[in-house]
Amino acid sequence: KQEVTQIPAALSVPEGENLVLNCSFTDSAIYNLQWFRQDPGKGLTSLLLIQSSQREQTSGRLNASLDKSSGRSTLYIAASQPGDSATYLCAVSSGGSQGNLIFGKGTKLSVKP
Amino acid sequence: NAGVTQTPKFRILKIGQSMTLQCTQDMNHNYMYWYRQDPGMGLKLIYYSVGAGITDKGEVPNGYNVSRSTTEDFPLRLELAAPSQTSVYFCASSIYTDTQYFGPGTRLTVL
């Protein structure tokens, strides 16, 4: 059974720092991996999607990498800002044609001004 | 485009009551999903649909039912509500297995 783990559960950094969020999964037979952002009391916003054949994706200050063989993904945030404060969720597609996602519990990020 | 909309935003139910959570998307996505999120936990899949008339169970389907008569709508039915169904419910949609787009959620409390 696929399991997704995110470490750390919470992270506090000063504004301007570069940071890395980690995601690991137990079954390397994934279809894709997605990173989401969730603000308190809100829904999820998709940040990046990496297909299983890709190694990384970039969007602005965000860069996500995927190492399928080791079951790991990282989300790199450059020059963090207070507006980046949120919970970041990693999810893997469990394979097959349904697109069903298995989620980690998230990393709660706080960026201090 | 409104994207994915969910109603109601909040609801309190008594044990044994029933209700339907509504989900509508205007992006002409073929795949739709229902997830629940308990405090401090990741999301878990309840049901999903790969097209009108086609639905299937996810990881935690007990106590729920769904239907998909149109591409746009994917309602989730709770029968005989129980305290264990207190959660935040999210609907999502996608084009096949591409990026999933989420609604704002329905916060349900069963007392």
Side-chain angles (χ1 to χ4, degrees), chain B residues 49-71:
Chain B
S49 168
V50 297
I54 306 170
T55 63
D56 206 347
K57 297 176 181 179
E59 185 180 356
V60 290
N62 290 346
Y64 308 94
N65 277 299
V66 294
S67 60
R68 182 117 181 256
S69 57
T70 67
T71 298

PDB file of all heavy atoms in Angstrom, chain B residues 49-71:
ATOM      1  N   SER B  49     -14.961   9.571 -10.004  1.00  0.00           N
ATOM      2  CA  SER B  49     -15.715   9.310 -11.230  1.00  0.00           C
ATOM      3  C   SER B  49     -14.847   9.667 -12.432  1.00  0.00           C
ATOM      4  O   SER B  49     -14.225  10.734 -12.454  1.00  0.00           O
ATOM      5  CB  SER B  49     -16.992  10.148 -11.244  1.00  0.00           C
ATOM      6  OG  SER B  49     -17.595  10.115 -12.524  1.00  0.00           O
ATOM      7  N   VAL B  50     -14.809   8.800 -13.412  1.00  0.00           N
ATOM      8  CA  VAL B  50     -14.009   9.072 -14.614  1.00  0.00           C
ATOM      9  C   VAL B  50     -14.885   9.556 -15.767  1.00  0.00           C
ATOM     10  O   VAL B  50     -14.388   9.748 -16.881  1.00  0.00           O
ATOM     11  CB  VAL B  50     -13.181   7.842 -15.035  1.00  0.00           C
ATOM     12  CG1 VAL B  50     -12.187   7.487 -13.941  1.00  0.00           C
ATOM     13  CG2 VAL B  50     -14.064   6.657 -15.373  1.00  0.00           C
ATOM     14  N   GLY B  51     -16.168   9.748 -15.504  1.00  0.00           N
ATOM     15  CA  GLY B  51     -17.060  10.284 -16.520  1.00  0.00           C
ATOM     16  C   GLY B  51     -18.495  10.123 -16.076  1.00  0.00           C
ATOM     17  O   GLY B  51     -18.783   9.401 -15.114  1.00  0.00           O
ATOM     18  N   ALA B  52     -19.390  10.804 -16.775  1.00  0.00           N
ATOM     19  CA  ALA B  52     -20.811  10.716 -16.444  1.00  0.00           C
ATOM     20  C   ALA B  52     -21.260   9.263 -16.445  1.00  0.00           C
ATOM     21  O   ALA B  52     -20.959   8.507 -17.384  1.00  0.00           O
ATOM     22  CB  ALA B  52     -21.637  11.541 -17.411  1.00  0.00           C
ATOM     23  N   GLY B  53     -21.941   8.861 -15.392  1.00  0.00           N
ATOM     24  CA  GLY B  53     -22.455   7.505 -15.272  1.00  0.00           C
ATOM     25  C   GLY B  53     -21.479   6.485 -14.738  1.00  0.00           C
ATOM     26  O   GLY B  53     -21.837   5.311 -14.552  1.00  0.00           O
ATOM     27  N   ILE B  54     -20.233   6.905 -14.459  1.00  0.00           N
ATOM     28  CA  ILE B  54     -19.207   5.968 -13.994  1.00  0.00           C
ATOM     29  C   ILE B  54     -18.639   6.456 -12.670  1.00  0.00           C
ATOM     30  O   ILE B  54     -18.062   7.551 -12.598  1.00  0.00           O
ATOM     31  CB  ILE B  54     -18.053   5.856 -15.008  1.00  0.00           C
ATOM     32  CG1 ILE B  54     -18.585   5.509 -16.394  1.00  0.00           C
ATOM     33  CG2 ILE B  54     -17.046   4.809 -14.543  1.00  0.00           C
ATOM     34  CD1 ILE B  54     -17.554   5.611 -17.487  1.00  0.00           C
ATOM     35  N   THR B  55     -18.816   5.674 -11.611  1.00  0.00           N
ATOM     36  CA  THR B  55     -18.263   6.025 -10.302  1.00  0.00           C
ATOM     37  C   THR B  55     -17.611   4.797  -9.693  1.00  0.00           C
ATOM     38  O   THR B  55     -17.937   3.653 -10.061  1.00  0.00           O
ATOM     39  CB  THR B  55     -19.346   6.545  -9.347  1.00  0.00           C
ATOM     40  OG1 THR B  55     -20.303   5.509  -9.100  1.00  0.00           O
ATOM     41  CG2 THR B  55     -20.049   7.762  -9.908  1.00  0.00           C
ATOM     42  N   ASP B  56     -16.699   5.036  -8.746  1.00  0.00           N
ATOM     43  CA  ASP B  56     -16.050   3.909  -8.083  1.00  0.00           C
ATOM     44  C   ASP B  56     -15.578   4.346  -6.707  1.00  0.00           C
ATOM     45  O   ASP B  56     -15.409   5.542  -6.433  1.00  0.00           O
ATOM     46  CB  ASP B  56     -14.873   3.387  -8.898  1.00  0.00           C
ATOM     47  CG  ASP B  56     -14.586   1.918  -8.618  1.00  0.00           C
ATOM     48  OD1 ASP B  56     -15.130   1.376  -7.609  1.00  0.00           O
ATOM     49  OD2 ASP B  56     -13.821   1.301  -9.363  1.00  0.00           O
ATOM     50  N   LYS B  57     -15.376   3.341  -5.829  1.00  0.00           N
ATOM     51  CA  LYS B  57     -14.988   3.611  -4.454  1.00  0.00           C
ATOM     52  C   LYS B  57     -13.520   3.967  -4.344  1.00  0.00           C
ATOM     53  O   LYS B  57     -12.681   3.448  -5.074  1.00  0.00           O
ATOM     54  CB  LYS B  57     -15.279   2.375  -3.594  1.00  0.00           C
ATOM     55  CG  LYS B  57     -16.740   2.002  -3.510  1.00  0.00           C
ATOM     56  CD  LYS B  57     -16.936   0.721  -2.715  1.00  0.00           C
ATOM     57  CE  LYS B  57     -18.405   0.327  -2.664  1.00  0.00           C
ATOM     58  NZ  LYS B  57     -18.621  -0.934  -1.927  1.00  0.00           N
ATOM     59  N   GLY B  58     -13.242   4.842  -3.368  1.00  0.00           N
ATOM     60  CA  GLY B  58     -11.872   5.147  -3.021  1.00  0.00           C
ATOM     61  C   GLY B  58     -11.475   4.408  -1.763  1.00  0.00           C
ATOM     62  O   GLY B  58     -11.954   3.301  -1.502  1.00  0.00           O
ATOM     63  N   GLU B  59     -10.653   5.045  -0.947  1.00  0.00           N
ATOM     64  CA  GLU B  59     -10.105   4.402   0.247  1.00  0.00           C
ATOM     65  C   GLU B  59     -11.107   4.318   1.394  1.00  0.00           C
ATOM     66  O   GLU B  59     -11.096   3.359   2.178  1.00  0.00           O
ATOM     67  CB  GLU B  59      -8.868   5.178   0.710  1.00  0.00           C
ATOM     68  CG  GLU B  59      -8.115   4.567   1.878  1.00  0.00           C
ATOM     69  CD  GLU B  59      -6.915   5.392   2.281  1.00  0.00           C
ATOM     70  OE1 GLU B  59      -6.609   6.398   1.608  1.00  0.00           O
ATOM     71  OE2 GLU B  59      -6.271   5.039   3.289  1.00  0.00           O
ATOM     72  N   VAL B  60     -11.997   5.322   1.538  1.00  0.00           N
ATOM     73  CA  VAL B  60     -12.891   5.386   2.700  1.00  0.00           C
ATOM     74  C   VAL B  60     -14.339   5.620   2.262  1.00  0.00           C
ATOM     75  O   VAL B  60     -14.946   6.634   2.586  1.00  0.00           O
ATOM     76  CB  VAL B  60     -12.436   6.478   3.691  1.00  0.00           C
ATOM     77  CG1 VAL B  60     -11.153   6.080   4.390  1.00  0.00           C
ATOM     78  CG2 VAL B  60     -12.243   7.816   2.969  1.00  0.00           C
ATOM     79  N   PRO B  61     -14.982   4.683   1.551  1.00  0.00           N
ATOM     80  CA  PRO B  61     -16.309   4.928   0.990  1.00  0.00           C
ATOM     81  C   PRO B  61     -17.489   4.655   1.937  1.00  0.00           C
ATOM     82  O   PRO B  61     -18.613   5.069   1.644  1.00  0.00           O
ATOM     83  CB  PRO B  61     -16.359   3.942  -0.180  1.00  0.00           C
ATOM     84  CG  PRO B  61     -15.544   2.785   0.316  1.00  0.00           C
ATOM     85  CD  PRO B  61     -14.437   3.399   1.132  1.00  0.00           C
ATOM     86  N   ASN B  62     -17.233   3.949   3.055  1.00  0.00           N
ATOM     87  CA  ASN B  62     -18.350   3.521   3.903  1.00  0.00           C
ATOM     88  C   ASN B  62     -19.112   4.707   4.476  1.00  0.00           C
ATOM     89  O   ASN B  62     -18.541   5.628   5.040  1.00  0.00           O
ATOM     90  CB  ASN B  62     -17.831   2.645   5.040  1.00  0.00           C
ATOM     91  CG  ASN B  62     -17.345   1.300   4.535  1.00  0.00           C
ATOM     92  OD1 ASN B  62     -17.618   0.915   3.400  1.00  0.00           O
ATOM     93  ND2 ASN B  62     -16.595   0.592   5.366  1.00  0.00           N
ATOM     94  N   GLY B  63     -20.438   4.660   4.345  1.00  0.00           N
ATOM     95  CA  GLY B  63     -21.301   5.707   4.862  1.00  0.00           C
ATOM     96  C   GLY B  63     -21.623   6.789   3.844  1.00  0.00           C
ATOM     97  O   GLY B  63     -22.323   7.751   4.167  1.00  0.00           O
ATOM     98  N   TYR B  64     -21.104   6.640   2.627  1.00  0.00           N
ATOM     99  CA  TYR B  64     -21.289   7.639   1.575  1.00  0.00           C
ATOM    100  C   TYR B  64     -21.798   6.990   0.296  1.00  0.00           C
ATOM    101  O   TYR B  64     -21.588   5.811   0.052  1.00  0.00           O
ATOM    102  CB  TYR B  64     -19.975   8.347   1.253  1.00  0.00           C
ATOM    103  CG  TYR B  64     -19.250   8.929   2.438  1.00  0.00           C
ATOM    104  CD1 TYR B  64     -18.252   8.196   3.081  1.00  0.00           C
ATOM    105  CD2 TYR B  64     -19.558  10.194   2.916  1.00  0.00           C
ATOM    106  CE1 TYR B  64     -17.577   8.715   4.178  1.00  0.00           C
ATOM    107  CE2 TYR B  64     -18.882  10.731   4.000  1.00  0.00           C
ATOM    108  CZ  TYR B  64     -17.903   9.984   4.627  1.00  0.00           C
ATOM    109  OH  TYR B  64     -17.235  10.502   5.711  1.00  0.00           O
ATOM    110  N   ASN B  65     -22.464   7.815  -0.525  1.00  0.00           N
ATOM    111  CA  ASN B  65     -22.843   7.393  -1.865  1.00  0.00           C
ATOM    112  C   ASN B  65     -22.680   8.559  -2.818  1.00  0.00           C
ATOM    113  O   ASN B  65     -22.750   9.728  -2.413  1.00  0.00           O
ATOM    114  CB  ASN B  65     -24.305   6.921  -1.904  1.00  0.00           C
ATOM    115  CG  ASN B  65     -24.442   5.485  -1.469  1.00  0.00           C
ATOM    116  OD1 ASN B  65     -23.876   4.583  -2.092  1.00  0.00           O
ATOM    117  ND2 ASN B  65     -25.183   5.255  -0.413  1.00  0.00           N
ATOM    118  N   VAL B  66     -22.450   8.253  -4.090  1.00  0.00           N
ATOM    119  CA  VAL B  66     -22.298   9.289  -5.102  1.00  0.00           C
ATOM    120  C   VAL B  66     -23.089   8.916  -6.342  1.00  0.00           C
ATOM    121  O   VAL B  66     -23.506   7.765  -6.522  1.00  0.00           O
ATOM    122  CB  VAL B  66     -20.822   9.508  -5.507  1.00  0.00           C
ATOM    123  CG1 VAL B  66     -20.005  10.059  -4.346  1.00  0.00           C
ATOM    124  CG2 VAL B  66     -20.213   8.209  -6.045  1.00  0.00           C
ATOM    125  N   SER B  67     -23.274   9.931  -7.184  1.00  0.00           N
ATOM    126  CA  SER B  67     -23.851   9.721  -8.503  1.00  0.00           C
ATOM    127  C   SER B  67     -23.208  10.734  -9.429  1.00  0.00           C
ATOM    128  O   SER B  67     -22.712  11.776  -8.980  1.00  0.00           O
ATOM    129  CB  SER B  67     -25.364   9.894  -8.479  1.00  0.00           C
ATOM    130  OG  SER B  67     -25.711  11.205  -8.051  1.00  0.00           O
ATOM    131  N   ARG B  68     -23.213  10.439 -10.723  1.00  0.00           N
ATOM    132  CA  ARG B  68     -22.656  11.397 -11.704  1.00  0.00           C
ATOM    133  C   ARG B  68     -23.510  11.284 -12.966  1.00  0.00           C
ATOM    134  O   ARG B  68     -23.223  10.515 -13.865  1.00  0.00           O
ATOM    135  CB  ARG B  68     -21.191  11.083 -12.009  1.00  0.00           C
ATOM    136  CG  ARG B  68     -20.568  12.083 -12.998  1.00  0.00           C
ATOM    137  CD  ARG B  68     -19.467  12.842 -12.376  1.00  0.00           C
ATOM    138  NE  ARG B  68     -18.881  13.816 -13.293  1.00  0.00           N
ATOM    139  CZ  ARG B  68     -17.707  13.637 -13.896  1.00  0.00           C
ATOM    140  NH1 ARG B  68     -17.010  12.534 -13.702  1.00  0.00           N
ATOM    141  NH2 ARG B  68     -17.251  14.565 -14.702  1.00  0.00           N
ATOM    142  N   SER B  69     -24.570  12.089 -12.979  1.00  0.00           N
ATOM    143  CA  SER B  69     -25.476  12.060 -14.127  1.00  0.00           C
ATOM    144  C   SER B  69     -25.055  13.037 -15.210  1.00  0.00           C
ATOM    145  O   SER B  69     -25.469  12.895 -16.370  1.00  0.00           O
ATOM    146  CB  SER B  69     -26.911  12.355 -13.687  1.00  0.00           C
ATOM    147  OG  SER B  69     -26.967  13.608 -13.028  1.00  0.00           O
ATOM    148  N   THR B  70     -24.247  14.040 -14.866  1.00  0.00           N
ATOM    149  CA  THR B  70     -23.758  15.009 -15.849  1.00  0.00           C
ATOM    150  C   THR B  70     -22.245  15.170 -15.678  1.00  0.00           C
ATOM    151  O   THR B  70     -21.683  14.794 -14.648  1.00  0.00           O
ATOM    152  CB  THR B  70     -24.399  16.389 -15.682  1.00  0.00           C
ATOM    153  OG1 THR B  70     -23.970  16.955 -14.435  1.00  0.00           O
ATOM    154  CG2 THR B  70     -25.927  16.302 -15.694  1.00  0.00           C
ATOM    155  N   THR B  71     -21.607  15.759 -16.672  1.00  0.00           N
ATOM    156  CA  THR B  71     -20.166  16.020 -16.568  1.00  0.00           C
ATOM    157  C   THR B  71     -19.874  17.011 -15.455  1.00  0.00           C
ATOM    158  O   THR B  71     -18.863  16.915 -14.764  1.00  0.00           O
ATOM    159  CB  THR B  71     -19.631  16.584 -17.895  1.00  0.00           C
ATOM    160  OG1 THR B  71     -19.830  15.620 -18.928  1.00  0.00           O
ATOM    161  CG2 THR B  71     -18.144  16.913 -17.811  1.00  0.00           C
TER     162      THR B  71
END
